[in-house]
Amino acid sequence: MSRPFEFNGVPAKTPDTFRPNMATTSTKDSDRTQDLVMHNTPMGTIQNGEFEWRYIELDEAALILQQIVNKSEYSLRYPNPLTGRWEVSTFYTSNYSLGTHMISNGKSVWESLSFNAVRINPV
């Protein structure tokens, strides 16, 4: 089984959902004038990605969490939507969510594991 996502070089189970996002920040003087024309000066764009695994086994979730929890930064191998290639960049995460612990198909699992990985450097 291929595991193209990597956290700190550790291959991880492919998430059920990976949603890349980007946000562009503009300078403080960017604004609309009275004629409603936007005068915008972009400073840079930050990427982030929303990860979610459903019915993930406890040891698999722990493997991922051990690479990212309480880290000021970690490396992530991910598909970069701006280049169309798999790349490694530095990210951080501050919020994590796990669903209910349950038994599914005879295995001990978390109903879900989700978090948002935010890229350290702008694109």
Side-chain angles (χ1 to χ4, degrees):
M1 173 171 72
S2 175
R3 291 183 171 230
F5 285 90
E6 295 180 358
F7 296 88
N8 287 331
V10 176
K13 177 181 179 183
T14 300
D16 293 296
T17 303
F18 171 68
R19 289 187 188 94
N21 300 293
M22 290 179 267
T24 298
T25 300
S26 300
T27 60
K28 187 166 64 171
D29 63 346
S30 293
D31 201 2
R32 289 193 184 275
T33 52
Q34 287 186 336
D35 59 0
L36 297 179
V37 173
M38 182 66 181
H39 301 276
N40 187 29
T41 307
M43 291 174 22
T45 299
I46 301 297
Q47 283 183 330
N48 67 72
E50 297 173 27
F51 286 86
E52 183 180 20
W53 291 262
R54 290 183 299 276
Y55 305 103
I56 184 169
E57 293 184 31
L58 274 60
D59 60 341
E60 188 74 47
L63 179 71
I64 295 166
L65 290 170
Q66 289 167 5
Q67 301 307 312
I68 66 174
V69 171
N70 289 329
K71 308 282 195 236
S72 59
E73 60 183 48
Y74 58 85
S75 69
L76 170 61
R77 183 173 187 268
Y78 71 108
N80 187 334
L82 290 175
T83 64
R85 294 188 307 264
W86 285 85
E87 297 181 3
V88 176
S89 294
T90 308
F91 287 76
Y92 73 92
T93 296
S94 56
N95 295 304
Y96 318 85
S97 178
L98 291 117
T100 302
H101 173 262
M102 58 193 303
I103 302 298
S104 176
N105 295 324
K107 295 182 179 179
S108 186
V109 299
W110 293 111
E111 182 180 26
S112 64
L113 165 62
S114 62
F115 57 85
N116 189 2
V118 181
R119 188 169 159 163
I120 298 284
N121 295 311
V123 296

